[in-house]
Amino acid sequence: MANDAYIPFLIAGMLITGCSNSLWTKWQDMQCVENCGPLDDPTTRVYFEQPVWQTLQMFVGEVGCFIPVLYTYLKNRRNPAPMLADDEAEDEHAKGLELKGWKVLLFFLPAACDLTGTTLMNVGLLYTPVSIYQMTRGALVLWVGIFSVIFLRRRLFLYQWLSLITVMIGVSIVGLSGSLIKKAITEDSSIPDALRRSLSPSTASDPSDAARVLIGVLFILFAQLFTAAQFVIEEKVMAKYSVTPLVAVGLEGTFGLISVLAVMPLLYTMKDLTVWFDLPRGWRQMIDNRNVLVSSFIVAMSIGFFNFFGLSVTRSVS
């Protein structure tokens, strides 16, 4: 278990990388990838709207957590660690059961929740400003609290329930105000076009813009159910089994990556329904646009660190 002195550092790292993920992902959504020339009709511009590829890049970042694990493994093979004393060995055993064999498949469950929740949030981010997106994710605490009581047998006191309800009221106000402000900005002809586009690059001129923001908020709120389930499952597994945060993140990333790649052919058959599932087109947009490609690497690394910090906190305070 990590030293208590490191917990504030882990929490700060989780908050910083979490905000970084949202900002860079929204920046990706704002990148024009087709019909972007000065002579092209601005109304025909196509922006990067590929939530499936964005989910995949998240899992690539999580798989990257296996790199230091592999390095440590190879280093220990060359220089085997000294045998632990009896007391130290007992302390290691007390941390939990060893995670091996088919038990590693337990991390498929949080990976599936992560896949679903992240994809839904990426869709919601297409229609909402990043500030509203980040605030709406605050609804996560209520679902985590409810699931903790149901599945982890935790007890929450009255003041904790009141705090969670207050957070939900605040989230609801933020979501409602976001749609109202968006509608006002859309109707105000004095607002520069650049600001309109920054709010929602692909739908700024749509008269139903406020409704789209509300739909985006609903996507984000629904996604919090899966994210809360992911956190609770992770805590339950890591409380029983001895597994380092890097290994846990790497396992989730591996299962998530395999799952996304497996469903991609099925999603491609529905490409006529939405551009989100036109995966070859999304791949070309990502490779041919330097901004999108660079930000994909940044998001992947940032998400890897975010999950490491998050699971380290879970392991330390659970």
Side-chain angles (χ1 to χ4, degrees):
M1 183 175 292
N3 191 304
D4 290 345
Y6 291 109
I7 292 179
F9 167 75
L10 295 174
I11 294 176
M14 185 173 62
L15 293 175
I16 293 172
T17 53
C19 292
S20 173
N21 299 338
S22 302
L23 291 170
W24 280 106
T25 303
K26 184 61 178 181
W27 190 72
Q28 268 191 339
D29 295 339
M30 296 170 58
Q31 299 307 304
C32 178
V33 289
E34 294 179 13
N35 305 325
C36 306
L39 301 180
D40 293 323
D41 185 355
T43 61
T44 64
R45 290 181 178 176
V46 177
Y47 294 87
F48 188 73
E49 297 181 348
Q50 296 292 334
V52 178
W53 281 112
Q54 289 175 327
T55 300
L56 185 70
Q57 72 188 16
M58 175 195 71
F59 286 122
V60 169
E62 292 182 5
V63 172
C65 289
F66 270 142
I67 295 176
V69 174
L70 181 61
Y71 170 78
T72 303
Y73 171 76
L74 295 176
K75 182 180 179 181
N76 290 339
R77 285 195 62 182
R78 291 185 177 181
N79 303 301
M83 293 292 292
L84 294 175
D86 291 341
D87 292 342
E88 293 175 333
E90 289 179 3
D91 290 340
E92 287 293 316
H93 180 70
K95 291 180 180 179
L97 303 175
E98 184 179 359
L99 187 73
K100 60 181 180 179
W102 66 268
K103 294 177 182 177
V104 299
L105 294 177
L106 291 172
F107 278 99
F108 177 80
L109 295 176
C113 293
D114 197 7
L115 187 160
T116 307
T118 299
T119 303
L120 290 172
M121 285 190 287
N122 286 338
V123 172
L125 186 56
L126 291 172
Y127 299 126
T128 59
V130 68
S131 56
I132 294 177
Y133 166 84
Q134 197 70 12
M135 289 294 294
T136 306
R137 291 181 63 186
L140 174 65
V141 296
L142 177 64
W143 298 118
V144 170
I146 293 174
F147 289 171
S148 296
V149 171
I150 296 173
F151 300 108
L152 300 180
R153 300 293 188 266
R154 294 286 174 79
R155 180 185 176 187
L156 298 183
F157 296 101
L158 178 61
Y159 75 91
Q160 293 173 317
W161 283 114
L162 292 176
S163 300
L164 293 177
I165 293 172
T166 302
V167 170
M168 278 302 300
I169 294 174
V171 168
S172 302
I173 293 174
V174 169
L176 178 61
S177 65
S179 61
L180 295 177
I181 291 173
K182 189 73 172 293
K183 181 178 180 181
I185 290 178
T186 303
E187 295 174 350
D188 191 345
S189 59
S190 65
I191 301 296
D193 291 339
L195 178 56
R196 299 173 191 271
R197 190 169 62 250
S198 69
L199 291 171
S200 183
S202 60
T203 61
S205 59
D206 196 323
S208 61
D209 210 27
R212 289 177 178 269
V213 174
L214 183 59
I215 291 173
V217 169
L218 293 177
F219 267 109
I220 299 167
L221 289 175
F222 184 51
Q224 303 318 302
L225 286 170
F226 297 95
T227 305
Q230 173 196 346
F231 288 173
V232 171
I233 295 171
E234 287 172 346
E235 181 171 349
K236 197 170 184 67
V237 172
M238 297 185 74
K240 183 176 182 180
Y241 296 97
S242 177
V243 54
T244 64
L246 283 175
V247 172
V249 175
L251 288 173
E252 281 189 28
T254 301
F255 292 134
L257 184 64
I258 293 173
S259 300
V260 174
L261 292 175
V263 301
M264 273 186 164
L266 175 62
L267 295 177
Y268 180 66
T269 62
M270 298 183 285
K271 66 182 179 66
D272 294 333
L273 299 177
T274 173
V275 69
W276 303 339
F277 300 148
D278 193 347
L279 301 175
R281 183 182 180 186
W283 171 259
R284 291 192 298 270
Q285 291 174 350
M286 185 166 56
I287 294 300
D288 295 340
N289 188 291
R290 183 176 178 273
N291 289 341
V292 174
L293 185 61
V294 171
S295 60
S296 295
F297 285 106
I298 295 175
V299 169
M301 290 188 295
S302 179
I303 284 179
F305 281 110
F306 172 75
N307 282 274
F308 165 73
F309 287 132
L311 284 179
S312 296
V313 170
T314 298
R315 191 182 187 214
S316 300
V317 303
S318 64

